[in-house]
Amino acid sequence: MNIAGGGQTNSYYVSLGYLDDQGIAIASGFKRYSLRANLNSELKPWLRLTTSIALTHSVQDAPKSDDSNLANMH
């Protein structure tokens, strides 16, 4: 989902994302939440302010196992 807009001297963009991937094994999966925002502003004809931010949070579930290959996944 995203929203964008602005006026003659300002513009903005905001984007939100969500992913929920069910794993192929029991008790496995992956979730991700993301946010991106941009703001542009012309303060003077010779001065422009631009900001950008991007945030991501993810969670991965893995089946319990004593196998060192799977136990070290994080």
Side-chain angles (χ1 to χ4, degrees):
M1 178 173 97
N2 64 51
I3 300 170
Q8 196 168 2
T9 59
N10 300 308
S11 65
Y12 63 89
Y13 174 82
V14 178
S15 174
L16 300 170
Y18 172 71
L19 172 69
D20 185 3
D21 187 9
Q22 302 295 320
I24 60 171
I26 296 173
S28 68
F30 180 77
K31 288 185 181 180
R32 181 177 60 217
Y33 307 89
S34 60
L35 166 73
R36 175 177 284 283
N38 297 331
L39 173 64
N40 300 308
S41 182
E42 186 177 311
L43 303 175
K44 300 280 186 180
W46 49 269
L47 181 61
R48 177 174 291 177
L49 175 67
T50 302
T51 60
S52 178
I53 186 170
L55 303 170
T56 302
H57 174 72
S58 61
V59 177
Q60 181 174 357
D61 297 321
K64 301 282 187 205
S65 175
D66 291 333
D67 182 0
S68 64
N69 290 335
L70 292 176
N72 291 327
M73 286 178 46
H74 292 286

